[in-house]
Structure formats: C-alpha cells, structure tokens
Amino acid sequence: MNDPPTPPTLPDPPATPMSREAARAVLGVTGRKDDTTPLLRTLKEHGTGLSFMTGLSVLAVVDNFQTQAFSVLTPEVSAGLGMDLGTISGIVGVQGIAAGLAPFAVATLLRRYPHRVRLALGTGFAWSVTTLFTGMVSGPVSLGALMLVNGATTGTVALLHPPLLMDAYPPAARMRIMSLYSASTPLANIMAPLFIAGLVSWLGMDWRAVFISLGVVSVLACLFALRLREPVLGRWDVAELSARAGTSPPAGHDDPMGFLATVGRVLRIPSIRRMAMGFTAIGALAVPYGVVISTLLDSEWGLSVGQRGLFTSAAAVVSIVALAVFGGRAEAAYRAGPARFMALSGGALALAASAFALSALVPSLWLVLALLALGQALLAVIGPCLFIGGLSVVRPADRAHAMAALGLILAFGGLAGAGLLALATAFLDVRGALLLLLLPAIAGSLFIATLHKTLMGDLDALIDHAIGEDKRC
C-alpha cells in the first residue's frame, strides 16, 4: 500500500514568479467548470492509487466493532458480569470521555513523534486487542479499563485519517477520495450488526465469543493495513507550491509552537471560525437525530426493533450511494470556486434539515422513511465537504490540531442539540421536537454558505506561507 509517492526534488528558482492563478490551481481551484476526470485516471496521472484509502477505510470500519458489539450485547454483558445498567452507563461514559480527550494528546504527540501512519496502526492494534479481551473480562474494573483504552484509541481515527488522506492524494481527487472513505461509517453500521447477529443466531456464540471473534477480525484488518506508508507532509499543496516556487518548504512537525498556540493559530483562520458554526449545527442536528427518529418510528408508526434496524441498514446503503455520487459533483464545484462549493455544502445541510422536518408532517409511512433516508444521506455528504474545505486552508502540520478542535466543537454542538431536544420534549411532542431541530441546522447552513467570502483569502494565505511570503503569525 505504498501509494504516496516520494517528494519532488527542489527545482531551481523560477525565472518569473508563479502567478496567483497558477498557485491556486495547485490547490485545486482553477475557476473552470469543466468535466471531472475519472478518478482512476486522475490517480494514475499522479502516480498513486486506491490502496492507501482502502487501508484506512478498513481500519475505520473495524474501529466501530467494539462499540457496536457493546451496544447490541449490553443486556447479555450486564447479566453475565452481574452489573446493573447504572454501572454499565458509567463505563460507557468513561469510554466517551477518553475518546474526547485522546485526540488532544495525540495531536500534541505528533510534534515530537511525527509518524501518523504508525500511530494509526498502533491505535488500531490497541482497540483490536481491547475488543478481543473484552470477551475475557471478569468484572467491572477490568471491563472499565478495557473500555477506557478502547475509547482513547478509537478517538484518534478522526484526528489522523483525514489529514493523512489530504497528504496522500492530490486536490484533483481529494473530494472523491474523502467521500469514498466517509462511506466506511455507514458501511460499518451495516456490517457490524449483521456480523454480530450472524455469530449469535447462526453459530450460537455467547457474548464473550462474539467479542473474541470481532477482536480477531479486527487484528486481521490491522495486519492488512501494515503496508501503509507515511505520505510526505503537505505533498500535494505546501510542498508542491514550495517546489514550484523554488523556495525551501516551511517548517513541518518540528514547529516549536505548543498545542494551545497551534490550535489558536488554526482558530484565527476566518474560514475555520465560520466552519466551526457549521460543525456546531451538524452536531446539534445529528446527535439528537437517532433518539428522535427511533422514538418517532416507535411511538407514531409502531415499528418494531427489527423493523427499525432494517430501516437503519437501508438508510446506510442510501448514504453510501449518495457519497459515491456526490463526491464528483462536489469536486467539480470546488474546482470552479469557493462560492459554488460552499453553496452546495450549505444547501445540503439545509435540505437535510428540511427532509427531517417534513418527515414529521407527511401522513404516509413510506414517505416518512424516504425523507428520513434522504436527510441522513445529505447529512453524510456534508462531512467530506467540510473536511476538504477546512483542511485545505490549514497548514499541513496543523491539520491534526484542526481536527481535534473541530471534533470538540462538534461534541459541544451535540450537547447543545441534546439540551434543545430536552427542552422541546418538555413542551412539545416528538414531531414538534423534530421541527424545532430545523432552526440550528438552517443557521449552520447559512454560515457554511457564506464561507466563500473568506475561503479564497485563506487559500491565498496558505500559498504565501508555502512560498515564504507569510504575513500571518
């Protein structure tokens, strides 16, 4: 899986300075509305392939195994270990805290140990072993310790994987690659429950054997990813711009700035501040979504657990198809310019919220299911857009810090959404709560759509940083 090529040799300084239009084209913004070259041809022209993305996607899929299994098998684990649901909930809470704090620790570690692929593989093996040994626990202390380690290691996926994909693939393919990679989440939501159901129903395994089996599969997936190689930091943007301009590449992971100072530098980027509002809105919509939709389908339409699970799997398939189709369109929009790209992204969020709201009003179950699946698919395609739009204006060495900060903002958005949901359900029914969630989503879509006002300027600031004309601290 040695897709990322070696960095180009530094050329002699050019006779004439590189034009701003040519520099923007290196970053993927050409201003043209031409057709998108097929993905495989684009990758071949740049000397890379799909194997790097495939390796990270496999890790992302098995990352969900332990959490999915614990969610499905909670009653059996509780009975087998003699623990009440309060203790189980406390252990899950500890896992969530570890998952939230780990990205900050890893982002700090990257300054001293800039080997992202090794960290991704190391954390992959760690969560695989914790999944396996979950089947051998004897009580709440050992289970809590394993869940703590699992949360800390799985929390690094969102921190490490998107910046790695940014460095492994050229701008002409990034949007489609990020969309395909993002399909690993709905794919895991389909595969893990089906795999667990098969082990229990067809092979008659108890909960301990299920965790051990999932751990073994996860270890095999990590072995598959062992051939991944570290891509050059900023290979396709900052390093490429520096090479073409004939200047020395700027400092990478050896930047002396500390973690908080680096996060502060990231948050001083105008586009990132606007994007933070978008991530807050997505968190406020996505986190309560599962609770509200499950309650709506149960209380209003009388769907059983099995029927709701079937709908969840079907909606995940729709999301995978949407990601595969949307990637090329979004890439063409980004190439044409920030205004079109961000309008497309903001419009997708507004349409997702509208679809959820309409599902509370229509009288037909099939229309409800169709609208919910559409809303979930639109919500899925927004993530790659924001990752590409946000990380494209951040220095390559700072991208892990940006992911840590945006992840925390997303979590705060989820808390805000949960609070709004609690307030709504105190005065409204579930349909009213679903309609109320439309408000933060519409506000977030407006912030995302206005990113075109700052995105081009922030791209130019990154260009100045790459060619040694940086005026930003």
Side-chain angles (χ1 to χ4, degrees):
M1 297 185 185
N2 194 14
D3 282 337
T6 55
T9 56
L10 192 66
D12 295 329
T16 58
M18 182 171 30
S19 69
R20 185 60 46 163
E21 290 72 19
R24 289 172 178 173
V26 171
L27 300 181
V29 179
T30 64
R32 298 192 302 268
K33 299 180 180 180
D34 49 359
D35 294 333
T36 301
T37 305
L39 178 60
L40 293 180
R41 185 192 304 172
T42 301
L43 297 180
K44 184 177 180 180
E45 290 173 353
H46 289 83
T48 186
L50 290 172
S51 57
F52 191 86
M53 183 272 296
T54 302
L56 290 184
S57 297
V58 169
L59 290 177
V61 168
V62 299
D63 166 53
N64 289 273
F65 275 7
Q66 208 263 9
T67 302
Q68 290 271 6
F70 198 81
S71 176
V72 172
L73 299 171
T74 294
E76 288 76 14
V77 174
S78 176
L81 297 177
M83 294 189 298
D84 57 44
L85 291 181
T87 304
I88 294 287
S89 299
I91 290 174
V92 173
V94 169
Q95 182 192 31
I97 292 172
L101 295 178
F104 294 94
V106 174
T108 303
L109 178 62
L110 282 172
R111 289 298 195 200
R112 297 191 300 271
Y113 186 79
H115 302 287
R116 297 167 295 173
V117 168
R118 292 181 187 176
L119 285 172
L121 290 170
T123 54
F125 278 109
W127 78 59
S128 301
V129 171
T130 60
T131 302
L132 192 151
F133 277 94
T134 301
M136 306 177 190
V137 295
S138 57
V141 175
S142 54
L143 178 62
L146 287 173
M147 294 290 279
L148 179 69
V149 174
N150 183 269
T153 52
T154 59
T156 62
V157 171
L159 177 88
L160 294 171
H161 289 195
L164 280 169
L165 291 171
M166 292 287 290
D167 288 337
Y169 291 100
R174 279 177 181 167
M175 189 66 231
R176 285 172 287 177
I177 288 293
M178 196 71 78
S179 295
L180 291 174
Y181 167 79
S182 297
S184 59
T185 298
L187 181 62
N189 292 337
I190 298 171
M191 290 181 58
L194 290 178
F195 189 42
I196 293 167
L199 293 176
V200 174
S201 302
W202 298 338
L203 300 181
M205 291 186 178
D206 63 3
W207 66 271
R208 293 184 180 275
V210 169
F211 278 107
I212 292 173
S213 299
L214 290 174
V216 170
V217 172
S218 188
V219 169
L220 293 175
C222 292
L223 292 174
F224 170 79
L226 273 179
R227 293 179 60 194
L228 291 173
R229 295 293 178 265
E230 183 77 23
V232 176
L233 188 69
R235 163 66 180 91
W236 299 105
D237 35 55
V238 169
E240 181 72 13
L241 285 168
S242 298
R244 294 193 185 193
T247 61
S248 299
H253 285 304
D254 55 349
D255 191 323
M257 291 184 70
F259 174 79
L260 292 178
T262 303
V263 171
R265 180 167 64 192
V266 169
L267 294 178
R268 285 195 296 272
I269 300 174
S271 295
I272 295 298
R273 292 200 299 270
R274 289 174 181 259
M275 196 163 293
M277 299 302 296
F279 270 94
T280 303
I282 291 174
L285 180 64
V287 171
Y289 162 80
V291 177
V292 173
I293 297 309
S294 182
T295 304
L296 176 71
L297 296 179
D298 176 32
S299 62
E300 301 291 331
W301 296 102
L303 267 62
S304 66
V305 174
Q307 290 171 326
R308 297 198 302 271
L310 182 62
F311 165 72
T312 300
S313 298
V317 172
V318 175
S319 296
I320 293 173
V321 174
L323 285 163
V325 173
F326 188 79
R329 294 182 179 274
E331 199 161 72
Y334 183 81
R335 187 167 57 250
R340 185 180 174 191
F341 178 70
M342 298 322 303
L344 184 66
S345 305
L349 178 56
L351 286 175
S354 300
F356 291 145
L358 283 174
S359 68
L361 302 176
V362 296
S364 167
L365 174 61
W366 289 107
L367 278 176
V368 169
L369 297 178
L371 286 168
L372 292 177
L374 174 63
Q376 183 171 315
L378 288 169
L379 202 59
V381 303
I382 298 166
C385 290
L386 293 185
F387 286 148
I388 294 296
L391 296 181
S392 293
V393 300
V394 175
R395 300 178 185 185
D398 294 351
R399 285 170 180 163
H401 298 72
M403 291 302 299
L406 291 175
L408 184 62
I409 290 168
L410 188 68
F412 277 121
L415 288 175
L420 183 62
L421 177 61
L423 182 64
T425 52
F427 298 98
L428 305 169
D429 60 7
V430 65
R431 293 177 183 269
L434 197 56
L435 288 170
L436 191 60
L437 290 175
L438 180 65
L439 298 179
I442 294 297
S445 68
L446 293 176
F447 272 100
I448 292 173
T450 60
L451 269 164
H452 71 275
K453 297 179 179 180
T454 58
L455 196 60
M456 191 66 81
D458 291 333
L459 282 172
D460 287 342
L462 184 68
I463 292 170
D464 293 337
H465 167 68
I467 63 179
E469 298 179 4
D470 192 12
K471 301 177 181 62
R472 180 183 293 166
C473 296

